[in-house]
Amino acid sequence: QVQLVESGGKSVQAGDSLRLSCTASGFAFSTATVAWFRQAPGKEREFVAALWRTTGRTYFADSVKGRFTISRDNAKKTVDLQMNSLKPEDTAVYYCAASNTLILSSLTTARQYAYWGQGTQVTVSS
């Protein structure tokens, strides 16, 4: 069956770096658009970063642009989120998501992604 399993979340200090990883199975990973979303307590799930399936182009939310990078390894079926210069407002549960049928205009829309992980908690203290 389809599985996305995130790892790497933990508590860190502001300014630290952290790398999240997501391992996929059960679907055509190499042809999927992959993304990271996050959800803070009391807030809606929000788009963080994505890697488009056909071009490999990356997209980022304005709030993380210049600090976060997203990368994938199709051989290992993994997608990583490198987070640098972390801020307290980055505190959230981070989710890995994927879709083989997503259209580009829906890149930042959570409900358009077919596959989701269970999430990993990132806490940034000031």
Side-chain angles (χ1 to χ4, degrees), residues 25-109:
S25 62
F27 65 99
F29 179 80
S30 63
T31 58
T33 292
V34 291
W36 288 90
F37 286 77
R38 66 187 181 186
Q39 189 165 17
K43 295 188 176 182
E44 292 189 356
R45 193 167 297 190
E46 66 172 0
F47 171 78
V48 174
L51 207 159
W52 182 244
R53 59 189 172 90
T54 56
T55 63
R57 182 177 174 179
T58 56
Y59 299 82
F60 298 93
D62 287 343
S63 59
V64 306
K65 204 169 291 183
R67 299 188 297 123
F68 290 12
T69 59
I70 184 172
S71 60
R72 70 192 298 167
D73 185 328
N74 287 337
K76 296 181 180 178
K77 297 187 178 181
T78 59
V79 52
D80 290 352
L81 184 70
Q82 176 66 41
M83 305 185 292
N84 299 326
S85 302
L86 282 162
K87 304 175 180 180
E89 51 263 44
D90 294 319
T91 295
V93 177
Y94 282 72
Y95 297 90
C96 176
S99 173
N100 291 109
T101 59
L102 193 74
I103 59 175
L104 188 56
S105 59
S106 297
L107 191 73
T108 62
T109 306

XYZ file of all heavy atoms in Angstrom, residues 25-109:
665
model
N 6.739 4.678 -0.561
C 6.572 3.337 -1.117
C 5.148 3.170 -1.595
O 4.242 3.888 -1.157
C 6.922 2.266 -0.078
O 6.058 2.355 1.034
N 4.951 2.228 -2.529
C 3.604 1.868 -2.946
C 3.010 2.671 -4.082
O 1.840 2.458 -4.434
N 3.785 3.583 -4.668
C 3.277 4.328 -5.830
C 4.488 4.733 -6.675
O 5.632 4.535 -6.286
C 2.470 5.555 -5.400
C 3.249 6.619 -4.692
C 3.704 7.743 -5.359
C 3.546 6.508 -3.333
C 4.438 8.723 -4.706
C 4.269 7.475 -2.665
C 4.717 8.586 -3.347
N 4.207 5.303 -7.842
C 5.261 5.667 -8.786
C 5.950 6.955 -8.336
O 5.639 8.048 -8.798
C 4.665 5.837 -10.175
N 6.893 6.818 -7.445
C 7.529 7.980 -6.822
C 8.259 8.864 -7.839
O 8.170 10.080 -7.789
C 8.512 7.517 -5.748
C 9.234 8.641 -5.063
C 8.620 9.352 -4.050
C 10.523 8.981 -5.447
C 9.273 10.392 -3.412
C 11.192 10.021 -4.816
C 10.566 10.733 -3.798
N 8.976 8.266 -8.752
C 9.830 9.046 -9.652
C 9.033 9.969 -10.570
O 9.580 10.943 -11.091
C 10.703 8.110 -10.488
O 9.899 7.296 -11.315
N 7.755 9.685 -10.766
C 6.919 10.523 -11.623
C 5.911 11.346 -10.827
O 4.966 11.899 -11.395
C 6.177 9.686 -12.670
O 5.369 8.710 -11.989
C 7.147 8.994 -13.609
N 6.120 11.441 -9.534
C 5.203 12.193 -8.674
C 5.754 13.568 -8.333
O 6.965 13.742 -8.187
C 4.942 11.419 -7.385
N 4.863 14.512 -8.205
C 5.208 15.783 -7.585
C 5.251 15.545 -6.079
O 4.351 14.904 -5.529
C 4.162 16.852 -7.909
O 4.233 17.167 -9.299
C 4.393 18.121 -7.102
N 6.307 16.017 -5.428
C 6.445 15.823 -3.990
C 6.496 17.181 -3.303
O 6.980 18.156 -3.875
C 7.695 14.997 -3.653
C 7.515 13.555 -4.110
C 8.937 15.599 -4.284
N 5.990 17.229 -2.099
C 5.890 18.502 -1.399
C 5.973 18.316 0.105
O 5.817 17.206 0.621
C 4.567 19.180 -1.757
N 6.221 19.423 0.774
C 6.139 19.493 2.223
C 5.122 20.567 2.589
O 5.128 21.666 2.007
C 7.490 19.844 2.835
C 8.483 18.734 2.776
C 9.376 18.475 1.785
C 8.681 17.716 3.761
N 10.121 17.359 2.087
C 9.718 16.881 3.302
C 8.102 17.438 5.009
C 10.180 15.774 4.033
C 8.550 16.339 5.726
C 9.578 15.525 5.230
N 4.276 20.234 3.541
C 3.331 21.166 4.140
C 3.606 21.196 5.643
O 4.299 20.333 6.171
C 1.888 20.705 3.892
C 1.413 20.917 2.479
C 1.813 20.063 1.467
C 0.546 21.950 2.163
C 1.374 20.247 0.158
C 0.096 22.144 0.871
C 0.513 21.283 -0.133
N 3.031 22.169 6.312
C 3.154 22.207 7.764
C 1.865 22.736 8.369
O 1.102 23.457 7.717
C 4.345 23.060 8.202
C 4.220 24.545 7.890
C 5.525 25.262 8.219
N 5.434 26.692 7.965
C 6.474 27.528 8.052
N 7.689 27.063 8.377
N 6.308 28.809 7.814
N 1.658 22.369 9.620
C 0.469 22.819 10.328
C 0.820 23.141 11.765
O 1.277 22.267 12.510
C -0.630 21.753 10.277
C -1.958 22.230 10.811
C -3.095 21.300 10.428
O -2.881 20.142 10.039
N -4.316 21.790 10.520
N 0.634 24.397 12.111
C 0.854 24.850 13.487
C -0.450 24.719 14.262
O -1.529 24.713 13.663
C 1.337 26.290 13.481
N -0.377 24.644 15.584
C -1.595 24.509 16.395
C -2.588 25.632 16.112
O -2.221 26.810 16.106
C -1.070 24.586 17.823
C 0.330 24.107 17.732
C 0.842 24.590 16.406
N -3.826 25.270 15.846
C -4.871 26.254 15.608
C -4.856 26.890 14.240
O -5.644 27.804 13.970
N -3.970 26.423 13.374
C -3.868 27.003 12.033
C -4.130 25.955 10.969
O -4.040 24.752 11.231
C -2.488 27.633 11.831
C -2.217 28.820 12.723
C -0.935 29.497 12.328
C -0.693 30.746 13.147
N 0.556 31.458 12.734
N -4.432 26.412 9.765
C -4.631 25.496 8.661
C -3.291 24.972 8.154
O -2.248 25.597 8.344
C -5.369 26.214 7.518
C -6.806 26.580 7.841
C -7.548 27.084 6.636
O -6.939 27.236 5.559
O -8.760 27.355 6.768
N -3.364 23.827 7.502
C -2.163 23.272 6.895
C -1.718 24.203 5.766
O -2.532 24.629 4.944
C -2.452 21.873 6.365
C -1.233 21.075 6.005
C -1.569 19.621 5.790
N -2.088 18.993 6.999
C -2.277 17.697 7.147
N -1.988 16.865 6.147
N -2.762 17.204 8.267
N -0.422 24.501 5.725
C 0.071 25.430 4.718
C 1.214 24.837 3.901
O 2.003 24.030 4.397
C 0.536 26.746 5.372
C 1.725 26.618 6.271
C 2.249 27.971 6.734
O 1.680 29.017 6.363
O 3.269 27.986 7.459
N 1.282 25.281 2.672
C 2.318 24.847 1.752
C 3.676 25.376 2.194
O 3.788 26.540 2.615
C 1.986 25.363 0.360
C 3.073 25.184 -0.650
C 3.291 23.945 -1.226
C 3.891 26.244 -1.007
C 4.297 23.770 -2.158
C 4.894 26.091 -1.931
C 5.102 24.843 -2.517
N 4.693 24.524 2.082
C 6.055 24.934 2.417
C 6.942 24.892 1.165
O 7.573 25.886 0.809
C 6.651 24.023 3.504
C 8.122 24.367 3.743
C 5.857 24.128 4.789
N 6.984 23.741 0.515
C 7.875 23.576 -0.630
C 7.406 22.412 -1.484
O 6.757 21.491 -0.982
C 9.303 23.338 -0.170
N 7.739 22.468 -2.769
C 7.378 21.380 -3.674
C 8.426 21.239 -4.757
O 9.160 22.179 -5.077
C 6.011 21.618 -4.300
N 8.463 20.051 -5.312
C 9.366 19.742 -6.412
C 8.495 19.159 -7.525
O 7.945 18.061 -7.367
C 10.426 18.753 -5.942
C 11.772 18.757 -6.642
C 12.817 18.117 -5.758
C 11.696 18.044 -7.973
N 8.357 19.907 -8.624
C 7.444 19.525 -9.696
C 7.933 18.293 -10.446
O 9.118 18.164 -10.751
C 7.268 20.703 -10.652
C 6.318 20.454 -11.758
C 6.580 20.415 -13.092
C 4.906 20.178 -11.628
N 5.446 20.135 -13.799
C 4.404 19.990 -12.943
C 4.040 20.082 -10.543
C 3.051 19.717 -13.175
C 2.706 19.808 -10.782
C 2.225 19.618 -12.082
N 6.998 17.410 -10.756
C 7.324 16.082 -11.251
C 7.981 16.047 -12.605
O 8.795 15.170 -12.882
C 6.055 15.216 -11.278
C 4.939 15.783 -12.140
C 3.658 14.965 -11.918
N 2.500 15.570 -12.568
C 2.131 15.298 -13.793
N 2.822 14.435 -14.520
N 1.063 15.874 -14.307
N 7.653 16.963 -13.491
C 8.177 16.851 -14.850
C 9.487 17.607 -15.045
O 10.404 17.111 -15.697
C 7.151 17.359 -15.878
O 6.787 18.694 -15.547
C 5.916 16.478 -15.882
N 9.592 18.785 -14.463
C 10.766 19.622 -14.696
C 11.789 19.553 -13.574
O 12.941 19.918 -13.759
C 10.355 21.091 -14.853
O 9.762 21.529 -13.618
C 9.364 21.259 -15.990
N 11.351 19.105 -12.404
C 12.233 19.131 -11.249
C 12.373 20.510 -10.637
O 13.143 20.707 -9.693
N 11.619 21.470 -11.152
C 11.683 22.822 -10.608
C 11.136 22.826 -9.191
O 10.200 22.098 -8.866
C 10.875 23.774 -11.483
C 10.926 25.220 -11.004
C 10.182 26.150 -11.939
N 10.135 27.506 -11.383
C 9.569 28.539 -11.995
N 9.009 28.373 -13.187
N 9.561 29.719 -11.421
N 11.744 23.670 -8.343
C 11.317 23.767 -6.957
C 10.510 25.042 -6.714
O 10.720 26.061 -7.384
C 12.516 23.738 -6.004
O 13.417 24.803 -6.360
C 13.248 22.409 -6.100
N 9.602 24.956 -5.769
C 8.741 26.073 -5.405
C 8.724 26.180 -3.882
O 8.736 25.153 -3.190
C 7.316 25.838 -5.910
C 7.227 25.721 -7.414
C 7.520 24.514 -8.050
C 6.854 26.808 -8.189
C 7.443 24.405 -9.429
C 6.766 26.704 -9.577
C 7.067 25.492 -10.176
O 6.986 25.394 -11.547
N 8.679 27.413 -3.385
C 8.714 27.628 -1.947
C 7.706 28.686 -1.526
O 7.427 29.632 -2.264
C 10.111 28.077 -1.503
C 11.171 27.062 -1.773
C 11.904 27.099 -2.945
C 11.427 26.046 -0.861
C 12.866 26.154 -3.216
C 12.401 25.089 -1.122
C 13.108 25.137 -2.298
N 7.191 28.525 -0.318
C 6.394 29.584 0.280
C 7.307 30.776 0.553
O 8.496 30.613 0.847
C 5.767 29.096 1.578
N 6.755 31.968 0.464
C 7.552 33.171 0.693
C 8.208 33.159 2.073
O 9.322 33.656 2.247
C 6.675 34.422 0.559
C 6.304 34.707 -0.885
O 6.961 34.154 -1.796
O 5.354 35.469 -1.095
N 7.526 32.579 3.039
C 8.018 32.580 4.416
C 9.278 31.741 4.617
O 9.985 31.918 5.618
C 6.919 32.077 5.360
O 6.524 30.767 5.007
N 9.568 30.847 3.682
C 10.739 29.984 3.843
C 11.755 30.156 2.720
O 12.836 29.565 2.759
C 10.332 28.500 3.925
C 9.300 28.290 5.021
C 9.819 27.977 2.588
N 11.420 30.978 1.735
C 12.293 31.157 0.586
C 13.658 31.681 1.035
O 13.762 32.607 1.833
C 11.637 32.136 -0.397
C 12.083 31.999 -1.824
C 11.191 32.807 -2.752
C 9.814 32.225 -2.845
N 8.955 32.969 -3.810
N 14.697 31.047 0.532
C 16.049 31.438 0.903
C 16.579 30.729 2.128
O 17.780 30.773 2.412
N 15.695 30.061 2.869
C 16.121 29.336 4.079
C 15.953 27.831 3.933
O 16.721 27.061 4.510
C 15.304 29.804 5.288
C 15.461 31.272 5.610
C 14.777 31.623 6.931
N 13.337 31.400 6.899
C 12.679 30.605 7.756
N 13.344 29.961 8.705
N 11.366 30.465 7.669
N 14.946 27.405 3.181
C 14.651 25.986 3.024
C 14.992 25.538 1.598
O 14.869 26.301 0.643
C 13.174 25.712 3.265
C 12.707 25.858 4.682
C 13.482 26.456 5.659
C 11.446 25.388 5.045
C 13.039 26.591 6.970
C 10.976 25.519 6.341
C 11.773 26.126 7.299
N 15.392 24.288 1.465
C 15.543 23.671 0.155
C 14.872 22.302 0.167
O 14.771 21.664 1.222
C 17.011 23.515 -0.250
O 17.687 22.711 0.736
C 17.709 24.848 -0.380
N 14.408 21.878 -1.000
C 13.777 20.567 -1.137
C 14.546 19.788 -2.184
O 14.974 20.344 -3.207
C 12.279 20.704 -1.513
C 11.605 19.336 -1.557
C 12.097 21.483 -2.814
C 10.081 19.413 -1.735
N 14.730 18.501 -1.937
C 15.454 17.669 -2.885
C 14.878 16.253 -2.848
O 14.209 15.879 -1.879
C 16.939 17.640 -2.554
O 17.165 17.125 -1.248
N 15.145 15.499 -3.894
C 14.638 14.139 -3.945
C 15.714 13.196 -4.447
O 16.623 13.599 -5.168
C 13.401 14.054 -4.844
C 13.689 14.244 -6.320
C 12.414 14.444 -7.125
N 11.515 13.292 -7.073
C 10.262 13.316 -7.478
N 9.746 14.454 -7.946
N 9.507 12.234 -7.423
N 15.573 11.931 -4.083
C 16.429 10.873 -4.583
C 15.494 9.773 -5.082
O 14.925 9.028 -4.274
C 17.354 10.362 -3.478
C 18.357 9.338 -3.977
O 18.033 8.573 -4.915
O 19.467 9.280 -3.414
N 15.327 9.702 -6.376
C 14.370 8.732 -6.929
C 14.815 7.286 -6.704
O 13.976 6.396 -6.576
C 14.149 8.997 -8.410
C 13.311 10.244 -8.653
O 12.549 10.674 -7.786
N 13.465 10.837 -9.816
N 16.110 7.069 -6.666
C 16.607 5.709 -6.438
C 16.249 5.232 -5.028
O 15.904 4.066 -4.825
C 18.099 5.655 -6.657
N 16.329 6.136 -4.070
C 16.010 5.787 -2.688
C 14.553 6.055 -2.352
O 14.094 5.686 -1.271
C 16.907 6.575 -1.737
C 18.380 6.245 -1.852
C 19.186 7.055 -0.862
C 20.670 6.721 -0.960
N 21.486 7.541 -0.024
N 13.833 6.731 -3.260
C 12.441 7.115 -3.027
C 12.319 7.979 -1.786
O 11.478 7.734 -0.897
C 11.535 5.892 -2.934
C 11.486 5.070 -4.217
C 10.453 3.963 -4.137
C 10.388 3.176 -5.438
N 9.368 2.099 -5.389
N 13.147 8.985 -1.717
C 13.116 9.896 -0.593
C 12.999 11.347 -1.075
O 13.456 11.692 -2.170
C 14.369 9.770 0.281
O 15.517 10.037 -0.519
C 14.482 8.384 0.900
N 12.400 12.169 -0.250
C 12.366 13.615 -0.476
C 12.746 14.276 0.838
O 12.201 13.925 1.891
C 10.993 14.080 -0.986
C 9.852 13.614 -0.114
C 10.979 15.602 -1.157
N 13.702 15.178 0.774
C 14.227 15.830 1.957
C 13.866 17.309 1.966
O 13.728 17.939 0.909
C 15.746 15.698 2.010
C 16.194 14.277 2.300
O 15.334 13.422 2.608
O 17.402 14.026 2.221
N 13.757 17.839 3.167
C 13.567 19.273 3.353
C 14.689 19.768 4.269
O 14.725 19.405 5.448
C 12.207 19.574 3.976
C 11.870 21.054 4.130
C 11.637 21.690 2.761
C 10.633 21.234 5.012
N 15.595 20.537 3.709
C 16.671 21.132 4.490
C 16.207 22.493 4.972
O 15.856 23.358 4.157
C 17.935 21.259 3.647
C 19.087 21.955 4.351
C 19.622 21.160 5.521
O 19.763 19.940 5.450
N 19.918 21.852 6.615
N 16.215 22.673 6.271
C 15.722 23.909 6.866
C 16.860 24.608 7.597
O 17.440 24.042 8.525
C 14.574 23.598 7.829
C 13.446 22.798 7.195
S 12.038 22.550 8.286
C 12.765 21.472 9.511
N 17.185 25.789 7.169
C 18.247 26.576 7.784
C 17.672 27.836 8.419
O 16.559 28.250 8.102
C 19.291 26.954 6.733
C 19.950 25.752 6.104
O 20.163 24.723 6.749
N 20.275 25.863 4.820
N 18.456 28.420 9.305
C 18.054 29.671 9.967
C 16.627 29.574 10.508
O 15.788 30.454 10.265
C 18.167 30.847 8.992
O 19.477 30.956 8.495
N 16.371 28.526 11.242
C 15.024 28.288 11.735
C 14.559 29.374 12.695
O 15.359 29.941 13.458
C 14.956 26.922 12.406
C 14.871 25.743 11.424
C 15.257 24.438 12.102
C 13.485 25.654 10.823
N 13.272 29.647 12.633
C 12.653 30.681 13.461
C 11.550 30.039 14.306
O 11.001 28.998 13.919
C 12.029 31.756 12.574
C 12.989 32.403 11.599
C 12.260 33.368 10.687
C 13.205 34.022 9.691
N 12.483 34.968 8.790
N 11.186 30.651 15.419
C 10.092 30.098 16.233
C 8.806 29.923 15.430
O 8.049 28.979 15.670
C 9.934 31.148 17.341
C 11.301 31.727 17.498
C 11.861 31.783 16.102
N 8.561 30.784 14.457
C 7.342 30.663 13.652
C 7.379 29.479 12.683
O 6.385 29.188 12.026
C 7.067 31.962 12.882
C 8.235 32.493 12.094
C 8.993 33.570 12.855
O 9.250 33.397 14.071
O 9.373 34.576 12.210
N 8.497 28.791 12.601
C 8.568 27.561 11.810
C 8.058 26.351 12.597
O 7.958 25.250 12.055
C 10.008 27.289 11.360
C 10.533 28.327 10.390
O 9.773 28.738 9.492
O 11.707 28.720 10.544
N 7.758 26.559 13.859
C 7.247 25.473 14.689
C 5.931 24.952 14.143
O 4.987 25.723 13.924
C 7.049 25.956 16.137
O 8.326 26.281 16.692
C 6.377 24.891 16.985
N 5.876 23.640 13.889
C 4.687 23.028 13.308
C 4.916 21.527 13.159
O 6.040 21.044 13.341
C 4.389 23.614 11.933
N 3.855 20.827 12.823
C 3.992 19.459 12.346
C 4.211 19.536 10.840
O 3.437 20.192 10.133
C 2.745 18.617 12.670
C 2.899 17.208 12.091
C 2.515 18.557 14.178
N 5.253 18.890 10.375
C 5.600 18.928 8.956
C 5.157 17.621 8.300
O 5.449 16.533 8.800
C 7.095 19.133 8.794
C 7.500 20.566 9.009
C 7.483 21.119 10.288
C 7.870 21.386 7.947
C 7.829 22.446 10.490
C 8.220 22.716 8.140
C 8.191 23.233 9.415
O 8.534 24.556 9.614
N 4.476 17.766 7.168
C 3.934 16.634 6.444
C 4.544 16.537 5.055
O 4.686 17.539 4.349
C 2.426 16.760 6.287
C 1.647 16.756 7.574
C 1.370 17.934 8.247
C 1.190 15.555 8.115
C 0.649 17.943 9.429
C 0.459 15.548 9.297
C 0.200 16.741 9.942
O -0.515 16.726 11.109
N 4.841 15.326 4.663
C 5.266 15.023 3.310
C 4.029 14.657 2.500
O 3.131 13.970 3.027
C 6.239 13.852 3.374
S 6.812 13.221 1.814
N 3.973 15.103 1.254
C 2.832 14.808 0.404
C 3.308 14.519 -1.013
O 4.383 14.965 -1.416
C 1.855 15.978 0.386
N 2.494 13.779 -1.754
C 2.863 13.431 -3.125
C 1.618 13.219 -3.967
O 0.544 12.883 -3.449
C 3.743 12.190 -3.147
N 1.805 13.401 -5.261
C 0.712 13.147 -6.190
C 1.278 12.875 -7.571
O 2.218 13.541 -8.004
C -0.235 14.339 -6.254
O -1.206 14.152 -7.270
N 0.679 11.919 -8.258
C 1.062 11.624 -9.644
C 0.194 12.372 -10.647
O 0.483 12.363 -11.838
C 0.948 10.122 -9.921
C 1.981 9.312 -9.184
O 1.664 8.600 -8.242
N 3.231 9.421 -9.594
N -0.879 13.006 -10.160
C -1.829 13.621 -11.087
C -2.027 15.112 -10.868
O -2.869 15.724 -11.505
C -3.198 12.924 -10.974
O -3.662 13.047 -9.617
C -3.096 11.455 -11.351
N -1.242 15.691 -9.985
C -1.405 17.102 -9.657
C -1.157 17.990 -10.867
O -0.256 17.731 -11.669
C -0.401 17.452 -8.552
C -0.582 18.772 -7.832
C -1.758 18.680 -6.886
C 0.683 19.129 -7.063
N -1.960 19.044 -11.003
C -1.675 20.051 -12.026
C -0.949 21.220 -11.376
O -1.106 21.467 -10.169
C -2.964 20.533 -12.731
C -3.949 21.141 -11.721
C -3.611 19.387 -13.495
C -5.176 21.747 -12.371
N -0.177 21.932 -12.162
C 0.712 22.945 -11.609
C -0.037 24.028 -10.847
O 0.436 24.508 -9.814
C 1.547 23.566 -12.730
C 2.664 24.515 -12.292
C 3.615 23.816 -11.307
C 3.426 25.040 -13.498
N -1.205 24.379 -11.307
C -1.962 25.439 -10.643
C -2.438 25.030 -9.250
O -2.849 25.881 -8.464
C -3.165 25.846 -11.495
O -4.010 24.739 -11.715
N -2.386 23.752 -8.939
C -2.821 23.254 -7.628
C -1.649 22.896 -6.725
O -1.837 22.269 -5.686
C -3.709 22.023 -7.809
O -4.887 22.344 -8.518
N -0.473 23.334 -7.093
C 0.744 22.935 -6.389
C 0.698 23.215 -4.896
O 1.195 22.433 -4.099
C 1.948 23.648 -6.999
C 3.325 23.167 -6.566
C 3.634 21.825 -7.192
C 4.375 24.195 -6.934
N 0.100 24.338 -4.517
C 0.128 24.735 -3.110
C -1.145 24.355 -2.364
O -1.321 24.745 -1.210
C 0.345 26.246 -2.993
O -0.754 26.917 -3.616
C 1.639 26.673 -3.673
N -2.020 23.581 -2.993
C -3.315 23.220 -2.412
C -3.249 21.841 -1.796
O -3.147 20.838 -2.501
C -4.410 23.262 -3.476
O -4.407 24.537 -4.117
C -5.771 23.007 -2.858
